[in-house]
């Protein structure tokens, strides 16, 4: 019989027993499927053209709180308490003083704290383009704040979105596309046909079904824990250990693919997630997407893997830590990521190891890559080798994240004689460190800031400089706000 240990509803206990899955997992999936249906209803019957933003806020909030109560029972009070306390701090203490004390709570609260701080208490010339884009210029009302934090579309599995994007969606301004003429000037605005998310939703649900099938059939056959099995360690050859490490960690990913893709589909079904149109005129529904599976599995660098894995969390880490850190932003960002994930020692081992691996991979790339781009054959060889190295390095780094405890984590690393750690440290010590793009950008921004003092102050408003960022150290290829009229 499946476990009955839950603080949430036990209404689905018979189903839990039938499918032999824990009741909390059954509740989660059931609530997400309910949220998917509710999202379709929300987009159809509570469309911005049919009802007010107030009603949309209220319904989204109440449905979200109900789902939290169903899944977590009285534990759902934690969501209300942390949201209420944070809002009280904003109103009573002042937003200029509240961004630091709430760093210990949720992504949305800390993101909004910094967005308010950037919008109300910093000068525009002090902000990066992405910070200027997301800055909030007025204090949210309590209803707006609760709706942003507790809406039914993201209360169980996210993903994180910016406050401005959410309010734009609630108010029905997501589809207002700026029409540009041949001379580059904006044409008189005309209302375009509203794009349908149905195709994107169906595609993502098919991906969900496939990932769930793989998780239920394959994942249990390739447990990560077998990497530290005494018999396996004593008898398996090194090639076997390397191959099993890779396939066991690859088999552990579909459950994340399932949860994040389903959450993305729910948001899209409600009409949230529209990012504009691509060059072919096709609607893009990836504004709040949390992963890109194909890019993850074909990553040829540690950075490329991180760019496409848990994207919204990476954006959060970049916005609240990496861009604001005064020393060693990469290490600080990985430490914050470990703290945010929880108290298990395995999280800290993984993210500290990840910091070393990221710095070493960046150094290797800066020193070696230019030798391999002189011909297609060498470039292909480089891509094959870096794919193999990246997948093994990522798998090696992530094992403690799955094992959680410190003893099995160190047991695994010691079975590999800490070789990747040693190689990474040697790379950092022996190879010259080149100036990173972040440092170059910082230097250029300082020069630009100085030059603006002698420019017409209104000239900086004549161009659309909005852009978002895609990871802790990477810039997103295209700005959503260059496509969406604010």
């Amino acid at each position: 019989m499946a476990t009955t240990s839950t603080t949430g509803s036990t209404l689905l206990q018979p189903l839990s027993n039938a499918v032999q899955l824990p009741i909390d997992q059954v509740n989660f999936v059931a609530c997400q499927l309910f949220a998917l249906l509710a999202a379709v209803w929300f987009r159809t019957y509570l469309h911005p053209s049919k009802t007010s933003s107030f009603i949309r806020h209220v319904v989204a909030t109440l449905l979200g709180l109900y789902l939290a109560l169903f899944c977590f029972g009285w534990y759902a009070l934690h969501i209300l308490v942390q949201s209420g306390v944070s809002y009280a701090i904003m109103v009573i203490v002042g937003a200029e003083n509240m961004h630091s004390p709430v760093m210990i709570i949720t992504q949305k609260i800390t993101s909004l704290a910094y967005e308010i701080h950037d919008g109300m208490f910093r000068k525009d010339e002090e902000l990066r383009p992405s910070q200027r884009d997301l800055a909030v210029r007025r204090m949210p009302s309590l209803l707006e704040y609760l709706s942003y934090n507790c809406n039914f579309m993201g209360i169980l599995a996210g993903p994180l979105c910016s406050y401005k994007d959410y309010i734009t969606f609630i108010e029905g301004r997501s589809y207002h596309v700026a029409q540009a003429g041949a001379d580059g000037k904006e044409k008189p605005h005309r209302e375009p046909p509203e794009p349908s998310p149905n195709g994107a939703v169906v595609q993502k649900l098919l991906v969900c079904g496939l990932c769930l099938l793989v998780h239920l059939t394959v994942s249990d056959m390739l447990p990560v824990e077998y990497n530290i099995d005494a018999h396996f360690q004593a008898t398996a050859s090194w090639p076997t250990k390397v191959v099993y490490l890779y396939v066991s960690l690859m088999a552990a990913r579909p459950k994340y693919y399932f949860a994040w893709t389903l959450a993305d589909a729910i948001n899209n079904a409600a009409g949230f997630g529209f990012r504009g149109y691509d060059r072919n005129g096709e609607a893009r529904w990836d504004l709040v997407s949390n992963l890109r599976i194909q890019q993850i599995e074909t990553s040829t660098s540690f950075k490329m893997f991180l760019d496409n894995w848990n994207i919204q969390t990476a954006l959060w880490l970049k916005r609240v830590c990496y861009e604001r850190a005064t020393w060693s932003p990469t290490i600080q960002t990985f430490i914050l990521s470990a703290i945010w994930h929880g108290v298990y020692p395995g999280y800290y081992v993984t993210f500290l190891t990840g910091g070393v691996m990221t710095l070493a991979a960046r150094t290797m790339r800066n020193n070696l890559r230019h030798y391999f781009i002189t011909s297609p054959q060498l470039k292909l060889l480089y891509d094959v080798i870096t794919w193999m190295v990246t997948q093994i390095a990522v798998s090696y780094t992530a094992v403690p994240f799955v094992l959680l405890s410190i003893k099995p984590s160190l047991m695994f690393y010691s079975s590999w004689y800490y070789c990747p750690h040693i190689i990474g440290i040697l790379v950092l010590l022996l190879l010259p460190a080149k100036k990173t793009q972040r440092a170059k950008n910082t230097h250029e921004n300082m020069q630009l800031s100085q030059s603006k003092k002698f420019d017409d102050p209104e000239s900086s408003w004549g161009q659309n400089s909005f852009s978002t960022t895609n990871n802790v150290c990477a810039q997103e290829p295209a700005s959503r706000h260059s496509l969406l009229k604010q």
Side-chain angles (χ1 to χ4, degrees):
M1 179 178 291
T3 177
T4 59
S5 177
T6 180
T7 57
S9 172
T10 57
L11 179 65
L12 300 178
Q13 187 64 55
L15 177 60
S16 173
N17 296 337
V19 297
Q20 288 297 298
L21 288 175
I23 182 63
D24 57 338
Q25 294 183 15
V26 172
N27 282 348
F28 170 80
V29 174
C31 284
Q32 288 293 75
L33 293 178
F34 173 82
L36 179 66
L37 297 176
V40 176
W41 172 82
F42 189 83
R43 178 169 60 89
T44 304
Y45 295 100
L46 295 182
H47 192 274
S49 64
K50 299 179 180 180
T51 190
S52 66
S53 298
F54 176 82
I55 296 298
R56 284 166 63 84
H57 277 305
V58 170
V59 173
T61 304
L62 292 179
L63 283 176
L65 292 176
Y66 172 76
L67 294 181
L69 186 65
F70 188 91
C71 276
F72 310 122
W74 64 272
Y75 277 12
L77 290 175
H78 176 70
I79 299 172
L80 280 177
V81 169
Q82 68 177 20
S83 297
V85 169
S86 300
Y87 189 80
I89 292 174
M90 284 199 298
V91 173
I92 298 171
V93 179
E96 71 276 19
N97 298 317
M98 61 82 65
H99 59 281
S100 292
V102 298
M103 282 297 295
I104 58 172
I105 52 180
T106 66
Q107 290 179 334
K108 285 186 176 181
I109 293 173
T110 52
S111 293
L112 180 56
Y114 275 113
E115 289 163 6
I116 292 174
H117 179 71
D118 291 340
M120 298 177 64
F121 301 98
R122 294 180 67 189
K123 297 178 180 179
D124 270 15
E125 56 266 26
E126 298 174 351
L127 303 178
R128 296 169 178 264
S130 59
Q131 293 171 343
R132 192 179 305 122
D133 181 12
L134 299 175
V136 176
R137 307 292 179 176
R138 69 168 180 85
M139 187 67 67
S141 69
L142 178 59
L143 177 60
E144 290 171 332
Y145 183 79
L146 289 176
S147 177
Y148 171 61
N149 283 295
C150 304
N151 67 82
F152 74 95
M153 299 170 293
I155 194 168
L156 297 184
L160 172 70
C161 64
S162 75
Y163 176 79
K164 286 184 71 174
D165 284 333
Y166 180 74
I167 294 299
T168 297
F169 154 70
I170 287 291
E171 295 177 353
R173 296 184 286 113
S174 300
Y175 310 115
H176 295 176
V177 181
Q179 303 291 326
D183 57 358
K185 296 182 179 180
E186 189 175 310
K187 293 180 180 179
H189 177 69
R190 60 182 177 85
E191 196 71 23
E194 184 175 311
S196 171
N198 293 342
V201 171
V202 170
Q203 181 183 16
K204 290 172 184 179
L205 290 178
L206 290 175
V207 172
C208 285
L210 179 60
C211 292
L212 182 60
L213 179 64
V214 173
H215 172 64
L216 294 177
T217 57
V218 177
S219 298
D220 289 342
M221 299 169 56
L222 299 166
V224 175
E225 292 77 8
Y226 193 63
N227 284 283
I228 59 172
D229 180 79
H231 179 73
F232 176 75
Q233 289 186 355
T235 59
S237 63
W238 267 105
T240 301
K241 291 182 179 180
V242 171
V243 170
Y244 186 80
L245 172 66
Y246 168 65
V247 297
S248 63
L249 267 296
M250 182 173 62
R253 291 196 281 266
K255 64 180 179 181
Y256 298 101
Y257 295 164
F258 167 76
W260 288 338
T261 305
L262 180 57
D264 193 12
I266 291 169
N267 281 271
N268 291 170
F272 185 35
F274 177 66
R275 197 190 194 92
Y277 297 90
D278 62 19
R279 294 182 179 180
N280 299 321
E282 298 293 329
R284 296 175 58 189
W285 288 92
D286 59 351
L287 178 62
V288 293
S289 293
N290 222 6
L291 76 168
R292 303 183 187 98
I293 297 175
Q294 182 178 352
Q295 287 85 341
I296 288 171
E297 299 300 342
T298 59
S299 294
T300 57
S301 70
F302 217 93
K303 172 185 173 299
M304 182 178 176
F305 187 97
L306 295 177
D307 280 351
N308 295 287
W309 173 267
N310 206 354
I311 296 170
Q312 303 305 322
T313 292
L315 279 170
W316 171 70
L317 290 168
K318 176 178 174 60
R319 292 166 183 164
V320 304
C321 183
Y322 187 86
E323 289 183 340
R324 304 172 194 270
T326 55
W327 59 271
S328 189
T330 299
I331 297 299
Q332 285 196 52
T333 300
F334 276 103
I335 292 174
L336 173 60
S337 184
I339 294 172
W340 175 76
H341 273 87
V343 298
Y344 288 107
Y347 295 156
Y348 294 85
V349 175
T350 283
F351 289 112
L352 291 175
T353 300
V356 174
M357 295 298 175
T358 300
L359 294 174
R362 182 187 303 166
T363 302
M364 288 282 289
R365 179 182 176 86
N366 290 340
N367 281 275
L368 299 178
R369 185 175 184 274
H370 56 278
Y371 293 115
F372 292 89
I373 59 176
T374 55
S375 71
Q377 293 79 11
L378 283 176
K379 180 62 168 59
L380 177 61
L381 176 63
Y382 176 85
D383 287 342
V384 171
I385 294 175
T386 52
W387 175 81
M388 295 173 62
V389 172
T390 296
Q391 297 300 325
I392 296 305
V394 168
S395 300
Y396 174 87
T397 301
V399 167
F401 189 92
V402 179
L403 298 180
L404 299 178
S405 301
I406 191 68
K407 184 177 180 180
S409 299
L410 296 182
M411 184 186 304
F412 168 75
Y413 279 161
S414 63
S415 72
W416 279 61
Y417 303 103
Y418 294 91
C419 286
H421 282 90
I422 295 171
I423 293 172
I425 293 172
L426 289 177
V427 165
L428 294 175
L429 292 176
L430 300 179
L431 292 182
K434 296 187 177 182
K435 195 174 185 180
T436 66
Q437 189 63 40
R438 180 180 186 269
K440 293 178 182 177
N441 290 341
T442 301
H443 179 67
E444 291 170 0
N445 289 340
M446 291 176 63
Q447 291 181 326
L448 181 61
S449 177
Q450 292 295 324
S451 67
K452 279 186 177 180
K453 293 180 180 179
F454 304 98
D455 293 340
D456 180 1
E458 294 184 358
S459 64
S460 62
W461 297 98
Q463 300 178 4
N464 181 0
S465 61
F466 292 163
S467 64
T468 56
T469 45
N470 190 36
N471 200 267
V472 291
C473 53
Q475 199 170 48
E476 192 175 1
S479 167
R480 63 181 180 272
H481 289 284
S482 64
L483 297 172
L484 302 182
K485 183 175 181 180
Q486 299 302 305

